Amino acid sequence: MSGIIMVITLVLLGGCIAFTIVLASKALHNYFNQNKGLVQNTGFVICPSCSMKNKRQKNGQQCKKCYTQF
């Protein structure tokens, strides 16, 4: 009887560990793949060339320091 309980316990623990690994993998995938491009929720954008903060413009973006279009 104690052997059956031990097997059930090991299966449950293995399932919990596997589920945790799956969730961590999904979170890491989302972190790496959904942080791309310009952030649309702020009033400032960062120039990809010189990393200077620029105020968001309505018609396209141009850096005020290096004049790069992005």
Side-chain angles (χ1 to χ4, degrees):
M1 186 69 178
S2 65
I4 295 172
I5 293 174
M6 185 174 167
V7 168
I8 292 172
T9 305
L10 288 175
V11 168
L12 288 175
L13 284 175
C16 289
I17 291 171
F19 186 66
T20 302
I21 291 171
V22 167
L23 289 181
S25 172
K26 279 182 154 183
L28 191 63
H29 177 72
N30 287 340
Y31 175 75
F32 282 130
N33 292 321
Q34 292 181 358
N35 288 334
K36 294 181 180 175
L38 298 174
V39 178
Q40 298 291 328
N41 298 330
T42 63
F44 291 95
V45 291
I46 297 174
C47 176
S49 299
C50 66
S51 301
M52 181 179 170
K53 279 189 175 180
N54 293 293
K55 194 170 181 181
R56 186 172 297 282
Q57 301 166 1
K58 291 183 180 179
N59 298 327
Q61 295 293 327
Q62 182 177 8
C63 180
K64 294 185 179 184
K65 182 179 179 185
C66 64
Y67 302 106
T68 303
Q69 296 277 339
F70 59 94

